[in-house]
Amino acid sequence: MRQQVIEDVIVSKHPSGTIATELEARLGAASIDPVRRVFAPPLTATPIAAPDGRLITLAPRTDPIADEAAPPWHDAGALLARLHACPVPDGLPSHGGRRQFELAVAEADALHPGGSTDILRELGQRLLQTWPSPGRPAIVHGTFDLGRLGRLPCTDLWLLTAPHTLGVGDPAWDLAGPAALWGAGLLDQASWFAFVGGYAAAGGTTPGEGQEWPGLDHPARCALLMATVAELRRCPAHPRPALTPTAETLLAACVKANGRRW
């Protein structure tokens, strides 16, 4: 998806093949209460067709987290819990996270064979074959990370952004990205527990202290694979990927995640 900011409007051009009725349902859900209380609401719930046939959506400009600021992990967890508690609107499609995961698996399949990235192909296929049914279907963001937080100009409240992947699914999916980074050692304990604490304080369901969280296991492995593929995009690819330290850490975590326990 391509984005451009024009004055105070974010103009997003969506990929070819985006289904208009699904996108409209996602935008519509984000435009009405109670979801619009946690989202920066779209400026219009109806996608606009560009001359090339691709769909365009309009959203208000939001200010992202400043580079020097402490990430608002507690606020992020609370926002997701409030989203997951919203009634699921009729006609809302499944969230767009699985499609993003399938694209990441396809990209992993195209990586240079015979090297350290081979584990991604095996892990990706295994996760697709063992995809679970949602234990408690809810309305979820679908592609949450800290880049999906923003503040409207002249406000102090954090809101979720990018409703184009909003849909029905397991709430654990939205918690999986931070969980994967924490499991790989790339997110510190204080940040992870601030995130989970904010989620629980706002009514989100979490296990008791010291207990397992089995419903988070599969989504976290998916998020780990997607984070690894995204990091590999930043690595020089010829003749073989020259791995960054972060990519090496993520790949090592993928090796563990491909086992029975992570």
Side-chain angles (χ1 to χ4, degrees), residues 64-149:
I65 302 168
D67 291 340
E68 68 277 7
W73 285 109
H74 189 277
D75 292 314
L79 280 170
L80 290 174
R82 290 168 58 195
L83 174 66
H84 297 162
C86 293
V88 178
D90 292 338
L92 189 65
S94 298
H95 69 79
R98 173 157 182 167
R99 176 58 179 160
Q100 297 298 318
F101 178 72
E102 291 171 344
L103 291 172
V105 172
E107 190 171 348
D109 284 341
L111 292 172
H112 196 294
S116 58
T117 57
D118 278 357
I119 190 65
L120 296 178
R121 285 180 281 278
E122 182 179 342
L123 177 60
Q125 292 304 317
R126 178 179 175 184
L127 290 170
L128 285 172
Q129 292 166 5
T130 57
W131 201 273
S133 299
R136 181 179 67 84
I139 181 170
V140 301
H141 185 286
T143 54
F144 173 76
D145 58 38
L146 285 183
R148 304 302 196 189
L149 292 180

Side-chain angles (χ1 to χ4, degrees), residues 15-101:
S16 299
T18 300
I19 300 173
T21 53
E22 291 190 356
L23 182 56
E24 186 168 2
R26 301 183 201 279
L27 297 175
S31 300
I32 59 175
D33 288 337
V35 178
R36 71 185 308 273
R37 299 177 187 175
V38 296
F39 259 92
L43 296 179
T44 174
T46 304
I48 302 166
D52 63 0
R54 290 170 62 182
L55 298 175
I56 291 174
T57 55
L58 307 177
R61 178 180 66 83
T62 52
D63 297 325
I65 302 168
D67 291 340
E68 68 277 7
W73 285 109
H74 189 277
D75 292 314
L79 280 170
L80 290 174
R82 290 168 58 195
L83 174 66
H84 297 162
C86 293
V88 178
D90 292 338
L92 189 65
S94 298
H95 69 79
R98 173 157 182 167
R99 176 58 179 160
Q100 297 298 318
F101 178 72

